[in-house]
Amino acid sequence: MEPRTLPWKHCIHLTLLLLLSSTQVSGSCRILRCNSDFVAATLDLGSSSSGGGISLTRELINAGYCSALRSYATCTKRMARACRGDLAYHSAVQGIEDLLIQHRCPRAGPTAQPRPLPVGTLSADACLYDRSHGGSSQQQQTEYLHCGVFGDPHVRTFKEEFHTCAVKGAWPLIDNDFLYVQATSSTMSGRATVVTKITIIFKSWRQCVEQQLYQAELDNVPGAFADGSVSSGERRGLTHTHSLAVRSVAPGRHVQITAAHIATTLVVRQSGRSLGLSVRSPRNIVEAFGTEQDLQLCVWGCPVSQRLKTPKEKDKESAISTSLARSYCAKLLPAKDVYYEACVFDVLASGDVNSSVAAVSALQDATEMIADTHSVHLLPVASAQRHTGRMDPMLMMLMMLTLGILGSMTS
C-alpha cells in the first residue's frame, strides 16, 4: 500500500498549525494575521467545479492559489520591521518562497481579494453560542462536558473516565472544528512526568473570531494571547462584547479564557512544578470532529500502552512512605475520589508533598465547572466501570434468549 499524501490545501494548513503551536509571537508582530488571511483566501479553492472541464478547473485553482500566495508575501513584507528576528515570521517568508517556486507562480500578478462581508454586520448576539447553535431553545438544554489534565499527568476525560498517563512529548488533548489544544509533557525530578507546556488554538469561525493562539509554559502563564492582545472578535450591539477573552486570575500562574461563540471556558494553571488545564464545553462542540481527528486525550483518554500503574504498585520505589502520602493527601482531599488517588500518586512519584497542589487545584476547577455536584467526586471504581463495564449488546441479547429458552423448558 502506497503512503497517503495530503492535498496541498491540507498540507499548508497543517504547516501553519504546527508553526503556530511551536512559536511565540511578539505583541508588535502580526504574522498571525497574515497566516489567517492566507488560510481564509484558500479555504474554498477546489471546493466547486467551474464547469469548464478538469484542465480549466485546475488552472483556476492554481491561479487562485498563486494570488493568495502573492497576497501572503505582500502581507509579510508589511510586517518586516515589526517581525525582525521572529521565528514564525521568517519561517512563513521561507515557506512562501518555496511554494511560489513549486507552483510556478509569477511574481507579478493579481492578489487575492479580501472576502466580502455579508450584507449588514453581525450583532454581538450572532456570535453567542445560544443564538448561533440553537442553545436558547426551551426544548433543548445545553449539556456541558468537563475535561481536566493535571499532575503526573492525570486525565479526567469528557466521558468521565480517569487515566494516569506515561505520555511524554506533545499530545493533542482536544482537536475539533473549533478548538485545538495540545499538552507537552517532560520528565521532572524523581520519576514524575508533568505537563510543561500548553498550546491552545482557536480556529477561525464566521466573522466572530479569527484564528488565535494562546501558549503557556512552566513559570510563564501569560495573561494575554500570543499576539499580546487580551481579547479578540469585538462585536457591538446592546452590549460591548468579545468572542474571545483572557483574564488573569493570578499573574503569571493562573488564567481563564472564555470563548463566547462556543460557550467554552478554559482554565490554565501552574500548580507547583506542573501545568494544569481544565475545560468546560458543550457536548456538540466537543463532538464536532472527523474520523481523522482520532487522537484526543480529553475524549478517549490515554492509549492503553501509555497508562500507568496505581500507586500501590510503586510503593517500594518512592522516597516517601505510602502511609505518609495518604495521610497528607487525606487532609487536603477528604473524599477518596480520583483526585485523592492522583494526589497520592504524585507525592509518591515525585517524593515531594508539595506536588499535591495539582490535584487540589484540579478539584477546585471541576467543582466550578460541573453543575451536578454529585458528579464532581468521580470514584476510581466508577471510572473503571465506565471504561470496562459496558456489556456488549450482542452478548446481552444472547443472555436474554438463553434465559427465555431456559424459562420455557422449566415451565
Side-chain angles (χ1 to χ4, degrees):
M1 182 181 294
E2 295 185 1
R4 291 176 56 191
T5 57
L6 292 174
W8 62 263
K9 184 171 71 173
H10 293 87
C11 289
I12 189 63
H13 290 172
L14 179 60
T15 301
L16 290 174
L17 181 62
L18 294 174
L19 181 63
L20 287 170
S21 64
S22 61
T23 55
Q24 293 228 15
V25 183
S26 63
S28 58
C29 178
R30 307 288 294 184
I31 188 62
L32 296 184
R33 177 62 61 86
C34 297
N35 294 345
S36 295
D37 289 346
F38 174 73
V39 171
T42 57
L43 279 177
D44 294 332
L45 289 179
S47 61
S48 61
S49 173
S50 64
I54 295 177
S55 60
L56 179 60
T57 300
R58 288 179 177 172
E59 290 175 5
L60 288 175
I61 290 174
N62 199 63
Y65 187 52
C66 289
S67 296
L69 280 173
R70 285 190 289 266
S71 296
Y72 198 2
T74 301
C75 185
T76 57
K77 289 177 182 177
R78 291 198 301 266
M79 302 292 177
R81 181 183 296 273
C83 296
R84 186 188 323 171
D86 186 271
L87 177 60
Y89 169 78
H90 291 289
S91 298
V93 170
Q94 185 59 52
I96 294 168
E97 184 68 21
D98 293 342
L99 289 170
L100 284 169
I101 295 173
Q102 178 183 340
H103 291 272
R104 301 178 181 177
C105 298
R107 302 287 173 171
T111 55
Q113 298 298 315
R115 285 189 169 191
L117 295 176
V119 178
T121 57
L122 286 177
S123 67
D125 287 349
C127 292
L128 293 177
Y129 173 83
D130 286 346
R131 300 300 177 90
S132 58
H133 291 82
S136 61
S137 172
Q138 294 181 353
Q139 290 78 23
Q140 179 181 351
Q141 293 293 329
T142 301
E143 181 185 1
Y144 287 93
L145 305 179
H146 167 69
C147 173
V149 180
F150 62 97
D152 184 11
H154 313 285
V155 180
R156 176 174 179 158
T157 73
F158 287 126
K159 298 179 180 180
E160 300 291 1
E161 295 173 4
F162 187 81
H163 299 149
T164 297
C165 311
V167 292
K168 293 182 182 179
W171 288 73
L173 303 178
I174 300 172
D175 182 11
N176 59 47
D177 294 345
F178 305 92
L179 186 65
Y180 179 85
V181 181
Q182 175 180 285
T184 303
S185 299
S186 306
T187 302
M188 301 296 283
S189 60
R191 292 167 290 109
T193 301
V194 299
V195 176
T196 55
K197 184 176 181 180
I198 293 174
T199 300
I200 302 171
I201 298 176
F202 294 95
K203 302 178 183 181
S204 300
W205 189 70
R206 297 183 179 175
Q207 295 179 63
C208 297
V209 61
E210 293 182 348
Q211 186 168 272
Q212 186 60 279
L213 168 71
Y214 178 85
Q215 197 166 72
E217 296 188 60
L218 202 62
D219 297 325
N220 180 22
V221 181
F225 292 110
D227 63 1
S229 66
V230 295
S231 60
S232 181
E234 182 176 354
R235 290 286 170 260
R236 298 182 182 275
L238 296 178
T239 58
H240 192 93
T241 63
H242 295 88
S243 296
L244 294 175
V246 181
R247 180 173 65 89
S248 181
V249 180
R253 300 186 67 86
H254 181 187
V255 300
Q256 178 175 296
I257 306 173
T258 55
H261 66 296
I262 53 175
T264 297
T265 300
L266 302 98
V267 172
V268 180
R269 292 177 181 259
Q270 177 166 336
S271 300
R273 300 304 302 158
S274 66
L275 294 179
L277 174 76
S278 296
V279 182
R280 178 180 184 264
S281 189
R283 176 180 289 278
N284 64 325
I285 297 296
V286 168
E287 296 179 349
F289 57 84
T291 55
E292 73 282 359
Q293 297 158 299
D294 57 354
L295 182 57
Q296 302 182 59
L297 300 193
C298 272
V299 177
W300 293 289
C302 309
V304 175
S305 61
Q306 298 293 317
R307 296 176 194 172
L308 292 179
K309 300 177 182 179
T310 64
K312 293 180 180 178
E313 298 174 85
K314 305 181 74 174
D315 290 352
K316 295 181 181 179
E317 302 177 23
S318 179
I320 293 180
S321 68
T322 303
S323 59
L324 176 60
R326 291 194 175 278
S327 174
Y328 188 84
C329 290
K331 295 178 182 178
L332 302 173
L333 301 157
K336 297 300 189 289
D337 58 5
V338 294
Y339 298 99
Y340 166 80
E341 292 294 336
C343 174
V344 174
F345 186 98
D346 291 349
V347 171
L348 290 176
S350 65
D352 181 7
V353 294
N354 292 323
S355 63
S356 59
V357 69
V360 175
S361 298
L363 176 58
Q364 180 181 336
D365 290 337
T367 302
E368 295 176 355
M369 290 185 170
I370 300 175
D372 182 5
T373 56
H374 298 291
S375 300
V376 173
H377 296 284
L378 183 64
L379 299 178
V381 175
S383 176
Q385 286 177 343
R386 281 187 175 92
H387 184 68
T388 61
R390 299 185 183 93
M391 181 174 291
D392 184 86
M394 290 300 295
L395 178 59
M396 184 180 294
M397 183 178 295
L398 287 172
M399 288 179 63
M400 293 175 65
L401 287 173
T402 302
L403 289 173
I405 294 172
L406 291 174
S408 63
M409 291 174 64
T410 58
S411 60

